[in-house]
Amino acid sequence: MAKYTIRKNRIKAGYITGFSCDDSATLELIPSSDSPGIFLRGLDGVRPDAEWGRLSFEAECSEDRTYGVYVLAVNDRRRNIGGSMIDLDLLLTNPDISSEDKKDLLLSQGATRFIGRSDILLYEQKGQYLYIAILVAGEGHLRISNMVVDSTGDNFMATFPQVYRERNSFFHRFLSVFSSIYNDFEQDIRDLPKLLDPDVCPKELLPVYGSWVGIDLEGGSLDEHMMRQFVREAYLLNRLKGTKTVIRRVLEIILGEPAVVIEHNRIRSWINEDRIDVPDGFQVQGIYDVTVMVPGKLTEELRHKIVFMLNQFKPIRTRISIVQMDEIPTADSRTYLDINSRLPKEQEAELDSGLSMDGTVILK
C-alpha cells in the first residue's frame, strides 16, 4: 500500500491562499482572508488507471465555517480546455485564475465533491494523477493538519473470494470502515517512537520527561525550545549538578548566550594574595555564594526562569546573586591606558595619492 503524506514542501509547491503553513504542514486559516483555498499539484500514482483509496486529515472547524474537498484523478495531466491543451499543474497553481474558476474546472473534468468531511473514500476516482483542492466558506476558524492519501484504502478485500471484490460496492465500502480504523491504529503504533523523541514530541510531554530525570519544567514558565533543550541535555546536566559548569550551561540555555559566573570563594583567595582590587559597590559574600553577571537587562519573567532553574542545579548552600551588565562598557577612575594602548573607533575613509599616514594610524 502506497501512502502519500502531504508535508510542507508539497503544500508550498501547490497554490495556497488565505492560509498560513508552519513546518509541521499545519494549515491555519487567516482571519478575514478573501476566497481562501488549497490547490495541490497532482500526486503521481506511477501507473495509468491507478486506483486511489482514502484521503484523511485532521480538521478543527468552527460551526459557522464549512469547507468543500474536491478530488480528481486523471491519466493525462494535459487537458483539452477551451480548445487548448493545458497542464493541470500549471493551471491550478496559476495565481491569476480565481479559486471559483479552478473549482468549476475541476468539476467539469469529473471531480468528486465532499462537503465538511475529513475522512474520504476515493473509490470513484481512477487515474495516474490525483488532484486535491479544498475551498472554504463561512466565518470562523479552520485548521487542517496530518493530510494523508492511501492508494489502497482497505486491507481486507483481498482476503475474500473474487466474487466479493467489486470496487466501490456496498461490501467494499463497509469493509473500508474497519480498514480505516486498522490503518489509524497502525499509524499510531508507527509514530510511538516520536513520542519519546524530545525534538518532535508534543510540547505537553516535555514536563513529564523532565520529571522522569528529576528536572522540574512546569513552574518556570519556560519556552518550548528551552524545555526541549533541558530534556535533551538532562543526563549531562544531572551529572554536572552542583558545579560551576552546569550553572554556566543552564544560563546559556535560557539566555541564548554565555554569562559570567563569579565564585566568591575564588575572590577571597585572590584578595588574600593581593591579586585583585574589589571594585566599589561589589560586596564579597560567603565562600559558598556565587554572582552571575548577565549581558543586557532582564525582564522579571526572564529573571524568574533563571532563578527557578538554577535552584535545581546549584549546590545546596549556595546563594546566587544576579547582576545585569550594561551593553556599553564604561571606564571609571581606576582605569588607565599604557603608552601603546588605543581605544579603537571604526570610521570609513578613502585614500588618494596625496594622503600620508603617520605612525598612529592603523588599517584593519
Side-chain angles (χ1 to χ4, degrees), residues 23-41:
D23 293 335
S24 64
T26 297
L27 293 158
E28 186 86 28
L29 185 65
I30 300 174
S32 303
S33 56
D34 185 25
S35 301
I38 303 168
F39 295 88
L40 301 180
R41 288 176 175 266

Side-chain angles (χ1 to χ4, degrees), residues 32-160:
S32 303
S33 56
D34 185 25
S35 301
I38 303 168
F39 295 88
L40 301 180
R41 288 176 175 266
L43 303 179
D44 191 349
V46 180
R47 64 184 185 278
D49 293 328
E51 296 179 343
W52 299 91
R54 178 191 178 208
L55 165 65
S56 63
F57 53 88
E58 296 178 9
E60 299 178 18
C61 186
S62 60
E63 294 182 357
D64 296 331
R65 178 73 71 179
T66 186
Y67 60 90
V69 182
Y70 301 82
V71 291
L72 171 66
V74 296
N75 284 324
D76 188 358
R77 291 183 302 185
R78 294 178 59 82
R79 312 297 291 174
N80 188 343
I81 301 173
S84 302
M85 299 298 293
I86 302 178
D87 191 308
L88 278 178
D89 281 347
L90 299 179
L91 190 148
L92 294 177
T93 56
N94 188 341
D96 297 329
I97 302 176
S98 69
S99 298
E100 284 296 320
D101 290 341
K102 294 176 182 178
K103 178 197 72 174
D104 294 339
L105 171 64
L106 289 173
L107 291 175
S108 68
Q109 295 296 311
T112 307
R113 178 174 59 184
F114 304 89
I115 302 299
R117 291 170 56 182
S118 59
D119 199 326
I120 299 169
L121 294 179
L122 306 176
Y123 297 154
E124 298 179 13
Q125 294 293 330
K126 182 185 293 186
Q128 180 173 345
Y129 301 99
L130 180 71
Y131 290 90
I132 301 172
I134 301 177
L135 295 179
V136 183
E139 296 183 356
H141 74 275
L142 173 63
R143 178 183 296 129
I144 297 174
S145 61
N146 299 327
M147 189 180 299
V148 178
V149 176
D150 290 335
S151 62
T152 303
D154 68 79
N155 304 78
F156 307 124
M157 280 292 288
T159 63
F160 288 87

